[in-house]
Amino acid sequence: MSLTNPVRRRSGRPRSERARQAVMLAASELLPELGLRAMTTDRISERSGVSKATIYKWWPSKYAVAVDAFLAGMFAASREPDPDTGSAREDFRQALRGIMRFYSSASGRIFAQLVAEAQFDPEVFAELRDRLVASRRELVRAIWDRGVARGELLAEVDPDVGLDMMFGPAMYRLVAGHGPLTDEAADAVVDAAMCGLSR
Amino acid sequence: MSLTNPVRRRSGRPRSERARQAVMLAASELLPELGLRAMTTDRISERSGVSKATIYKWWPSKYAVAVDAFLAGMFAASREPDPDTGSAREDFRQALRGIMRFYSSASGRIFAQLVAEAQFDPEVFAELRDRLVASRRELVRAIWDRGVARGELLAEVDPDVGLDMMFGPAMYRLVAGHGPLTDEAADAVVDAAMCGLSR
Amino acid sequence: MSLTNPVRRRSGRPRSERARQAVMLAASELLPELGLRAMTTDRISERSGVSKATIYKWWPSKYAVAVDAFLAGMFAASREPDPDTGSAREDFRQALRGIMRFYSSASGRIFAQLVAEAQFDPEVFAELRDRLVASRRELVRAIWDRGVARGELLAEVDPDVGLDMMFGPAMYRLVAGHGPLTDEAADAVVDAAMCGLSR
Amino acid sequence: MSLTNPVRRRSGRPRSERARQAVMLAASELLPELGLRAMTTDRISERSGVSKATIYKWWPSKYAVAVDAFLAGMFAASREPDPDTGSAREDFRQALRGIMRFYSSASGRIFAQLVAEAQFDPEVFAELRDRLVASRRELVRAIWDRGVARGELLAEVDPDVGLDMMFGPAMYRLVAGHGPLTDEAADAVVDAAMCGLSR
DNA sequence: GGATAAACGAGACGGTACGTCTTGTCTTAGT
DNA sequence: ACTAAGACAAGACGTACCGTCTCGTTTATCC
């Protein structure tokens, strides 16, 4: 016997899934082609065949569209699995290599532009922090916790500090551009972080 | 015939120093008031009494004005001297505390917005890297070199890697906002970087 | 099988008389409140509780709704009966006074806006001419015919010309606003039209 | 003391006469092509090469542009001179024939649309009344005054009433479309108005 | 002292994107 | 079949900012 559909369908024409996907697709294509700034709402509308009014109905700004498209599309593709090699150092090495590769890819430039836009728009900032940065940090946090459990890492170090020491340099180089984002750089950072700088 | 002025004064009316200073002052005031985006060229012109044409004559964009104003004004005020305490760890501690304080101040928000804008504009990027990031890094590089000379720091570590391990976390937290920018955070990062994370 | 109902009820749910009346009422209220332009279809829908689709099903545009509402509501209220005083001059005087009062009332402004909209929309134009102007002219045409029959009016004058001479000035002043729409003006027009302008 | 430049030039770049004329020309072309409603500001901008911002700087709306263009262009061309034949009846006949021809021409449709738009927009209303209707009425007022001076017309009739009796029917037919706008109609109206309707 | 040259203020301008609004159609579920 | 709710495409609206331009004025050096 039916329980009368506890999730009551709201009346009226339902939101068009086709329109949502068309917007996501158009934004995913336009972001690498034009960059975040030159990707205008009008162009998303034109490319997707979804009217501007509809876009503004569901997203507060083109940046919200970009964040959604980035998360749904490009970012998902480049998502790294937890390496879990049995060695924290090796896990970190692989995780940081993945991040370095991501940052130095086309998606990395878009990511940098999203982070940049977040500096001007609190909503984008919150969205990015909650949906992107947090999920990344969860992954590496798992590596950290395993390392502590195995006795490889110093339990008395604040994990936030330890993780920032390893992944901060990557972000630093992404936005300031003063150093390379390579596998070698990843390895050097992990090694130095593990052993320390002092004699 | 005069040889007394080897630097030949160019003919015509000389550039108005008053105008330059008025623009710098107006921009210094408007940046904290409005932020980088909302500070429009028109507003700088209005506030300073300097015409838009003159502004565009001397600076390629409002961002160049902002970088200049930032360097000349706020940044200079918050510039830290080389601590040179005799201990690399203590030097780093003080330098990173200074940076953390700067990042968490009003000027820090503006700095973050300049870094953000640089992600979209190669000229701003270059300007910022050459005039801001580089000068900062010179300072801490001096600390590093003294530490190596005194045998406190491992000579085989790439200085760029070592410095990024210490100052990357600050930039990371500035733009991603996931952790505090406090003296305690500075000390924790320096301590962990010096000693390393592994047992 | 019944043949007793020669007027076969059409199948399906019958048109909601409640909905029709709610639309008429809402439009009657909104027209004076907002004017013809600002009275949007959405607002009629909201006020009446009748969906936009239903409105568009029964009326081709909001202007058709307005014409309907105007005829059913305000115009009916201000409709003048045939005076038939026994004197054509007196009949015209009373008819023109009635029109002047109507034109200078709130309904008169709405009527002017409907006439105005008709200049852009042929359907509104036809609707208005057939349902509003024509019915008015029938009334005054009756006055004319009685006057001719009684020998008060010159039979050789084209009635259309004669009537326009009397009622044209009222419309002219309504849309051009260069003169008053008062009882005195009505009397002056009727007197001058009856006697002529030349010595 | 200088008398050479009594009209002091205002500072700043002077308003571009070229831009003003291009807008006028574009509007003059678009009005007959599209009608008042379909002539959008964007299209005027596109056709004239003058930016939308500039158009909005000098005219409050596209309707103001239309009134200007109409006055400067089409209306000027169709302007009738004062006939002054020595007979008021003949003068009126020619003036009304001119108006009938104008109303039944392409410009007449545009004029009707301007009058229509004026019913919704007080600024257009005032503009039209002051610049179009008034100038027309001045002309026919001159005819009236000459007729009174020559003893052809009754001095005791209010000129506004007399003129509306003659020119009201034309406007009435323009907006209501119930009768022809021909030379014959003009003559019939003038004859009836001069002689009166009563025996 | 007059000519020359560049800088300057004021502000108009073309271009472009923004986010909102209105119109009329369409889609779904309910009556 | 008809309705209510409301999503949707199309496209005009008026505003804002950008960077360039066109004036007429001012301030210096040069002849």
Side-chain angles (χ1 to χ4, degrees):
Chain A
M1 230 13 166
S2 139
L3 289 172
T4 65
N5 199 356
V7 190
R8 280 280 284 155
R9 241 330 244 295
R10 287 196 26 261
S11 82
R13 177 175 175 173
R15 176 172 179 184
S16 161
E17 179 59 18
R18 193 201 60 70
R20 199 193 64 79
Q21 284 177 3
V23 168
M24 289 294 96
L25 178 61
S28 298
E29 290 172 7
L30 290 169
L31 267 176
E33 286 176 25
L34 304 172
L36 184 55
R37 283 278 172 87
M39 178 190 75
T40 67
T41 317
D42 276 293
R43 248 190 275 255
I44 298 174
S45 170
E46 187 187 16
R47 174 80 62 108
S48 65
V50 172
S51 79
K52 248 193 334 166
T54 300
I55 296 174
Y56 277 109
K57 166 140 208 174
W58 298 112
W59 292 273
S61 71
K62 70 170 181 178
Y63 301 108
V65 175
V67 172
D68 258 21
F70 188 76
L71 284 165
M74 288 154 291
F75 182 66
S78 66
R79 178 152 226 157
E80 306 285 334
D82 187 339
D84 200 2
T85 60
S87 152
R89 177 186 294 239
E90 188 55 30
D91 284 0
F92 280 134
R93 202 191 299 265
Q94 292 199 21
L96 190 53
R97 282 182 169 206
I99 283 175
M100 291 275 193
R101 283 177 192 146
F102 169 59
Y103 281 179
S104 55
S105 71
S107 296
R109 284 312 322 147
I110 298 170
F111 177 63
Q113 293 184 344
L114 287 172
V115 169
E117 191 59 35
Q119 308 307 311
F120 301 103
D121 186 334
E123 295 193 33
V124 174
F125 192 95
E127 189 87 358
L128 222 56
R129 188 191 48 208
D130 296 345
R131 297 179 59 187
L132 266 176
V133 179
S135 78
R136 281 273 157 149
R137 288 186 72 80
E138 268 171 40
L139 168 66
V140 292
R141 178 63 193 259
I143 298 176
W144 180 272
D145 289 340
R146 285 198 304 267
V148 171
R150 280 194 296 257
E152 296 174 68
L153 302 176
L154 292 168
E156 58 268 31
V157 173
D158 180 349
D160 280 340
V161 168
L163 295 176
D164 282 359
M165 262 175 59
M166 239 159 330
F167 301 102
M171 174 67 83
Y172 192 13
R173 293 182 175 196
L174 175 66
V175 297
H178 60 281
L181 292 160
T182 59
D183 285 357
E184 293 71 37
D187 295 349
V189 167
V190 170
D191 288 347
M194 294 302 279
C195 303
L197 304 171
S198 62
R199 188 165 304 277
Chain B
M1 188 164 300
S2 149
L3 290 172
T4 54
N5 197 353
V7 189
R8 282 276 283 154
R9 235 340 237 291
R10 292 199 17 263
S11 82
R13 177 174 175 175
R15 175 173 180 184
S16 160
E17 179 59 17
R18 193 202 60 72
R20 199 193 64 79
Q21 284 177 2
V23 169
M24 289 293 97
L25 178 61
S28 298
E29 290 171 5
L30 290 169
L31 268 176
E33 286 176 26
L34 304 172
L36 183 56
R37 282 277 173 85
M39 179 189 75
T40 66
T41 317
D42 277 292
R43 251 188 273 256
I44 298 174
S45 171
E46 187 188 15
R47 174 80 62 108
S48 65
V50 172
S51 79
K52 253 196 327 169
T54 301
I55 296 174
Y56 277 109
K57 167 139 207 173
W58 299 113
W59 291 273
S61 72
K62 72 168 181 178
Y63 301 108
V65 175
V67 172
D68 258 21
F70 188 76
L71 284 164
M74 288 154 291
F75 183 66
S78 66
R79 178 152 226 156
E80 307 285 334
D82 187 339
D84 200 3
T85 60
S87 152
R89 177 186 294 239
E90 188 55 29
D91 284 1
F92 281 135
R93 201 191 299 265
Q94 292 199 21
L96 190 52
R97 282 181 170 207
I99 283 175
M100 291 275 193
R101 283 176 192 149
F102 169 59
Y103 281 179
S104 55
S105 70
S107 297
R109 284 309 326 145
I110 297 169
F111 177 64
Q113 293 185 343
L114 286 172
V115 170
E117 191 59 35
Q119 307 307 310
F120 302 102
D121 185 335
E123 296 193 31
V124 175
F125 192 95
E127 188 87 358
L128 221 58
R129 189 191 47 209
D130 296 345
R131 298 179 57 187
L132 267 176
V133 179
S135 77
R136 282 271 159 151
R137 288 186 73 80
E138 269 171 38
L139 168 66
V140 292
R141 180 62 192 260
I143 298 175
W144 180 271
D145 289 341
R146 286 199 302 269
V148 171
R150 280 194 296 258
E152 296 174 67
L153 302 175
L154 292 167
E156 58 269 32
V157 173
D158 180 349
D160 280 341
V161 168
L163 296 176
D164 281 0
M165 262 175 58
M166 242 163 324
F167 302 101
M171 174 67 84
Y172 192 11
R173 293 181 175 197
L174 175 66
V175 298
H178 61 281
L181 293 161
T182 58
D183 285 356
E184 293 71 38
D187 294 350
V189 167
V190 171
D191 289 347
M194 293 303 279
C195 302
L197 304 171
S198 63
R199 190 166 302 278
Chain C
M1 247 332 136
S2 150
L3 292 171
T4 54
N5 196 355
V7 192
R8 283 276 283 146
R9 244 326 254 300
R10 293 192 25 257
S11 78
R13 177 171 173 177
R15 174 172 179 185
S16 161
E17 178 60 16
R18 195 200 61 67
R20 199 193 63 80
Q21 284 178 2
V23 169
M24 290 292 97
L25 178 61
S28 299
E29 291 172 6
L30 290 169
L31 267 177
E33 285 176 26
L34 304 172
L36 184 56
R37 281 279 172 85
M39 179 190 75
T40 65
T41 316
D42 276 295
R43 253 189 272 255
I44 297 174
S45 170
E46 186 188 14
R47 174 80 62 105
S48 65
V50 173
S51 79
K52 258 201 315 175
T54 302
I55 296 173
Y56 276 107
K57 168 139 206 171
W58 299 111
W59 291 273
S61 73
K62 72 169 181 176
Y63 299 108
V65 176
V67 172
D68 258 20
F70 188 76
L71 284 164
M74 290 155 290
F75 183 66
S78 66
R79 178 154 226 157
E80 306 287 333
D82 187 340
D84 200 2
T85 60
S87 152
R89 177 185 295 237
E90 188 55 31
D91 284 2
F92 280 135
R93 203 191 298 264
Q94 292 198 20
L96 191 52
R97 282 182 170 205
I99 284 175
M100 291 274 192
R101 284 178 193 145
F102 169 59
Y103 280 179
S104 55
S105 70
S107 296
R109 287 303 333 141
I110 297 169
F111 177 64
Q113 293 184 342
L114 286 172
V115 169
E117 191 59 35
Q119 307 306 312
F120 301 102
D121 185 334
E123 296 193 33
V124 175
F125 192 94
E127 189 88 359
L128 222 57
R129 191 189 47 208
D130 296 346
R131 297 178 59 186
L132 267 176
V133 179
S135 76
R136 280 272 158 150
R137 288 186 73 81
E138 268 172 38
L139 169 66
V140 292
R141 180 62 192 259
I143 299 175
W144 179 271
D145 289 341
R146 286 197 304 266
V148 170
R150 279 192 297 257
E152 294 173 70
L153 302 175
L154 291 167
E156 58 269 30
V157 174
D158 180 350
D160 279 343
V161 168
L163 296 176
D164 281 1
M165 261 175 59
M166 238 155 337
F167 302 102
M171 174 66 85
Y172 191 13
R173 292 182 176 196
L174 176 65
V175 297
H178 61 281
L181 292 161
T182 59
D183 287 355
E184 293 71 37
D187 295 350
V189 167
V190 171
D191 290 346
M194 294 303 279
C195 302
L197 304 171
S198 63
R199 189 166 302 278
Chain D
M1 98 187 33
S2 150
L3 290 172
T4 53
N5 197 357
V7 191
R8 279 281 283 149
R9 230 354 235 302
R10 289 195 28 260
S11 83
R13 177 174 176 174
R15 175 172 177 186
S16 162
E17 179 59 18
R18 192 201 61 69
R20 200 193 62 79
Q21 284 177 2
V23 169
M24 290 292 96
L25 178 61
S28 299
E29 290 172 6
L30 291 169
L31 267 176
E33 285 176 26
L34 304 172
L36 183 56
R37 283 279 173 86
M39 177 189 76
T40 67
T41 315
D42 276 295
R43 247 190 274 258
I44 298 174
S45 171
E46 187 187 14
R47 174 82 61 107
S48 65
V50 172
S51 79
K52 240 186 350 159
T54 300
I55 295 174
Y56 277 109
K57 167 141 206 171
W58 297 113
W59 292 275
S61 71
K62 70 171 179 176
Y63 300 108
V65 176
V67 172
D68 259 21
F70 188 75
L71 284 164
M74 290 155 289
F75 183 67
S78 66
R79 177 154 227 156
E80 307 287 333
D82 187 339
D84 200 3
T85 60
S87 153
R89 178 186 293 238
E90 188 55 31
D91 284 1
F92 280 135
R93 204 191 298 265
Q94 292 198 20
L96 191 52
R97 282 182 171 206
I99 284 174
M100 291 275 192
R101 283 178 193 145
F102 170 59
Y103 281 179
S104 55
S105 71
S107 296
R109 286 306 329 143
I110 297 169
F111 177 63
Q113 293 185 344
L114 287 172
V115 169
E117 191 58 36
Q119 306 307 311
F120 301 103
D121 185 334
E123 295 194 34
V124 174
F125 191 94
E127 189 86 0
L128 222 57
R129 189 190 49 209
D130 296 347
R131 298 179 58 186
L132 266 177
V133 179
S135 76
R136 281 273 157 148
R137 289 186 71 82
E138 269 171 39
L139 169 65
V140 292
R141 179 61 192 260
I143 299 176
W144 180 272
D145 290 341
R146 286 199 302 267
V148 170
R150 280 194 296 256
E152 295 174 69
L153 302 174
L154 293 167
E156 58 269 31
V157 174
D158 181 348
D160 280 342
V161 169
L163 295 176
D164 281 2
M165 261 174 61
M166 244 164 321
F167 301 100
M171 173 67 85
Y172 192 12
R173 291 180 177 197
L174 175 66
V175 297
H178 61 280
L181 293 161
T182 59
D183 286 355
E184 293 72 37
D187 295 349
V189 167
V190 171
D191 289 346
M194 293 303 278
C195 301
L197 304 171
S198 63
R199 189 166 303 278

